[in-house]
Amino acid sequence: KGQGTMGKKDKKPEETIQEDQTPWHVLTQANVIKELELSDDLPSKGLTNEQAAARLEQYGPNKLTEARRKTLIERIWHQVNNVLVLILVIVAIVSAVRALTTDVPQNIVTNWIQVGIIVGVIVINTWIGIVQEGSAEQAAEALKSMLSSDARVLRSGQEKMIPAQELVPGDIVYLGLGDKVPCDLRVINSANLACQEAALTGESVPIDKTVEPIDIPEGGNPMATPLGDRHNMCFSA
């Protein structure tokens, strides 16, 4: 089992760049608490209900950002808006013009067959693209469902269960055997804690977690540390 604290979330996703992220994995427990602008008794008492409510208002709920769904017209335009389709359309128009202007019956039939084949290719290609795009969206929805729906936290000195969406930066979160990680966490207390992170690292075996900060060579970039080497962090993916 283990105990971790939730780090700050970026207020504006469009302004998020690697250099501005807080390197939680290189900070000591004391520095983590200081960065969160909280008191030193955080590990033993957790956030107060008032602090949690204020931070929920400041940072918003702990959930993936909902992307605007494309309309059917936008999906179709996304599939046909490329050079190859433009060339096929030009060829189809040329064939249609030739079919309308020629007097030879055989040429009329041949040109209209060409138009039909080209239109069929465009329609089939567009349909396949829309289906694949829909499958990708379904995979994203499945990823959302993998996130834990509840979390065990310490609030005002009491351990309690809350919806995972109500987690805020600074929350003390408890993890036990078989629990899903409800958010990205910095481990501050651990007893044989290991997490399955195959989706992030490709490792087939659970990663043992520690509490000590990760040592970074002098002059090195802390954010360059691979996720799999951040042994004092737990990730929700």
Side-chain angles (χ1 to χ4, degrees), residues 1-6 148-155 158-165 167 171-183 185 193:
K1 64 180 182 179
Q3 182 185 45
T5 184
M6 182 179 178
S148 177
S149 58
D150 295 302
R152 190 157 51 103
V153 301
L154 183 67
R155 292 268 179 95
Q158 295 183 341
E159 187 177 321
K160 60 191 297 188
M161 296 292 295
I162 65 171
Q165 289 191 0
L167 287 171
D171 258 325
I172 299 297
V173 181
Y174 292 97
L175 296 177
L177 182 64
D179 287 346
K180 293 182 180 179
V181 180
C183 61
L185 300 168
L193 175 65

Side-chain angles (χ1 to χ4, degrees), residues 38-58:
L38 294 168
S39 59
D40 294 336
D41 61 356
L42 178 69
S44 61
K45 294 185 178 180
L47 296 176
T48 65
N49 293 329
E50 293 75 15
Q51 286 175 321
R55 287 175 177 250
L56 184 61
E57 178 69 22
Q58 179 181 0

Side-chain angles (χ1 to χ4, degrees), residues 111-131:
N111 285 317
W112 281 122
I113 290 176
Q114 290 178 349
V115 172
I117 292 174
I118 293 172
V119 172
V121 169
I122 294 175
V123 171
I124 293 174
N125 180 72
T126 302
W127 178 77
I128 292 174
I130 291 175
V131 170

